[in-house]
Each structure stands twice: as C-alpha cells, then as structure tokens.
Amino acid sequence: MKSLNKDIIIAVDGYSSCGKSTFARAIAEELNYLYVDSGAMYRAVALYCLRNNIIINGTFELVRIIRALALIDIEFKFNEQSLKYETFLNNENVEEDIRSVEVSEVVSLISKIREVREKILILQRRLGERKGIVMDGRDIGTVVFPEAELKIFMTADVDIRAKRRYDELKEKGLEVSLSEIKKNIEERDHQDVNRKESPLAKADDAVELDNSNMTPAEQMVWFRMIMSRFHK
Ligand code: DC
C-alpha cells in the first residue's frame, strides 16, 4: 500500500462475531501498525478476578474488583513466531487463558463496571499516544478515540455470523447447535447495545462495513479504497 501522509488512529467497532479482530489485525499488518484487541483487556481483568476468587459462580463484590484494579497490569507484546500481538497480565502471557469458556462467561459482567472501564480507558489512550494504531472493540470510535482519523463500524447479518461461528467451533471438533449459537449472538448484541456504560454504537462519522457477503480479500479491497483518502 502507498505510504500515508502521517500515522493515524483507526477505530474498528461492531457487533460480536462479525470478524472484527481478523479484519483489524489484517489492516494493522498491512499498515505496519500496532494492533490492540480491546476485548482482550476486559478478558484479562476477568481472568485475574477468577484466578483470585474475586468472582465465584458468576457473583462478586464490587469493592473487591475495584480494589484489585490497582494490582492489574496489562500489556501487549509482539510475538515474532506467531507474528501476533499477545496479551500479558502482570508480565505473564495469558493470550490463551483469556479465551477460555470460563472467562467468556463472566467478561460481559466485568465490562459493565464503570471503574473497570475507566482503568482500561487510561491504558487504551496511552497506547494511542503515538498514533499508528488499530484498536477494535465496542466503544473505540465513540468513547476511547472520538478524534480517530478513521472509524469503521462492522456489521453482518445475524444468521451469517451464527453460521461462521458454528463452522469455526465444528472445525475445533465441538458439538454445537446452530440455533443456540444464534440465540447467544442475539443476547450479546442486546447486552452490548443496551448497557449503561459505553454501549455499542456507530459513531456519526464512522464508515459502515457490512461484510455479510464479503470474503476477507474483498474486505481488504474495500479498506484500500477507503484508505486512498489518506495517501500522499
Ligand atoms: O470482543 P470480545 O468478545 O473479546 O469482548 C469481550 C467483552 O468485552 C465483551 O463482553 C464486550 C466487551 N468489550 C467492551 O465492552 N468494550 C470494548 N471496547 C471491547 C470489548
């Protein structure tokens, strides 16, 4: 791709399971930018709380979570072998552990807590200080970087998202039902859009990418066209 006038911030927001992180990682790679998966930050906080018995059976005392925040340090480091940024919690690589079912089950509870969001916001803004970053999430273009030079809002038809997730899990050898997956996606959409703190919303100046009928390669063609406005 042609070089840009200057480094920019790219915010990628959207519904769950519509391929945000795959797309965001690919565009960061193309631009040689830092890629930050902001969901991983909420997942790291959830993992810390589970490991330290702060969340037990899906319940917790808010004050214990707030107190724990001072003890949590989250970083992203580039792995030269996997060629991916990986998540570190207090200097430990937790990239695998944060994707576990246990973490997935409690992370939406964690991401609703105002104090958690405030702490993560500070980390997110620090990562964006030097620009040259792609961050994906739910509130990146609206709350974290409202001044981002490029905001992309991703959507895809819910049946298509469910089918993609179904194929992914089947590939991993898991026995799942398509209707259950669809129900789960719809519930998550509802939670993301309706929560009080930083709900998922399309920023007024975001460009929409509906990838229901697009291949990853077609998404990149779309992206290059959008990026032409930033070229020298
Ligand atoms: O994208 P994901 O499934 O890894 O996100 C994990 C959780 O974090 C999910 O409940 C949504 C939440 N999240 C958020 O509230 N704000 C963000 N910017 C990113 C993720």
Side-chain angles (χ1 to χ4, degrees):
M1 185 183 270
K2 284 193 227 151
S3 51
L4 305 178
N5 288 326
K6 61 178 174 65
D7 279 345
I8 63 170
I9 293 182
I10 303 180
V12 180
D13 289 304
Y15 295 93
S16 65
S17 297
C18 64
K20 284 192 305 294
S21 55
T22 309
F23 174 69
R25 183 177 287 119
I27 67 178
E29 196 178 310
E30 171 134 330
L31 297 171
N32 210 4
Y33 274 17
L34 169 67
Y35 163 62
V36 176
D37 166 2
S38 69
M41 300 167 113
Y42 294 96
R43 287 174 178 274
V45 174
L47 179 65
Y48 182 93
C49 293
L50 286 170
R51 283 180 172 178
N52 291 280
N53 297 322
I54 296 171
I55 302 181
I56 302 172
N57 296 329
T59 61
F60 59 85
E61 279 176 60
L62 182 59
V63 26
R64 289 193 66 205
I65 296 200
I66 295 172
R67 226 183 285 139
L69 289 175
L71 307 173
I72 296 176
D73 181 44
I74 301 167
E75 288 172 291
F76 292 95
K77 295 183 192 167
F78 193 71
N79 180 330
E80 298 288 346
Q81 259 123 48
S82 64
L83 300 179
K84 284 183 181 171
Y85 283 95
E86 295 181 337
T87 315
F88 283 70
L89 168 63
N90 295 341
N91 267 324
E92 177 194 344
N93 186 334
V94 291
E95 189 56 38
E96 282 226 346
D97 291 6
I98 58 170
R99 315 280 166 200
S100 70
V101 176
E102 291 79 7
V103 169
S104 299
E105 275 172 3
V106 298
V107 65
S108 72
L109 291 175
I110 288 291
S111 68
K112 279 188 203 155
I113 301 171
R114 182 168 49 87
E115 289 82 354
V116 170
R117 300 202 77 87
E118 283 168 358
K119 167 160 180 131
I120 287 180
L121 184 63
I122 294 169
L123 297 175
Q124 289 169 319
R125 293 214 172 127
R126 204 179 294 147
L127 288 165
E129 267 165 12
R130 282 190 279 161
K131 303 213 173 192
I133 183 172
V134 180
M135 191 177 287
D136 75 8
R138 308 291 190 286
D139 61 341
I140 311 306
T142 50
V143 175
V144 182
F145 297 125
E147 308 301 326
E149 288 85 350
L150 176 60
K151 299 176 187 176
I152 299 172
F153 189 82
M154 288 181 70
T155 66
D157 181 85
V158 67
D159 285 303
I160 291 175
R161 284 190 281 150
K163 180 69 170 57
R164 287 180 188 156
R165 184 94 188 107
Y166 174 82
D167 291 343
E168 222 174 78
L169 294 172
K170 271 214 119 170
E171 184 121 322
K172 285 185 185 164
L174 297 169
E175 221 15 82
V176 283
S177 109
L178 184 59
S179 61
E180 273 296 309
I181 292 177
K182 184 177 170 189
K183 198 167 133 239
N184 179 268
I185 289 180
E186 284 171 336
E187 274 167 19
R188 287 210 279 165
D189 286 355
H190 184 81
Q191 282 183 13
D192 282 344
V193 170
N194 292 292
R195 70 166 179 236
K196 198 164 127 252
E197 299 292 334
S198 298
L200 170 64
K202 177 174 177 280
D204 292 339
D205 52 349
V207 278
E208 188 167 315
L209 170 59
D210 179 339
N211 70 5
S212 302
N213 297 302
M214 283 170 105
T215 63
E218 285 167 343
Q219 289 189 150
M220 293 311 286
V221 172
W222 176 90
F223 174 68
R224 288 178 195 127
M225 192 189 71
I226 294 286
M227 284 305 286
S228 57
R229 68 169 97 144
F230 296 101
H231 290 154
K232 281 180 186 159

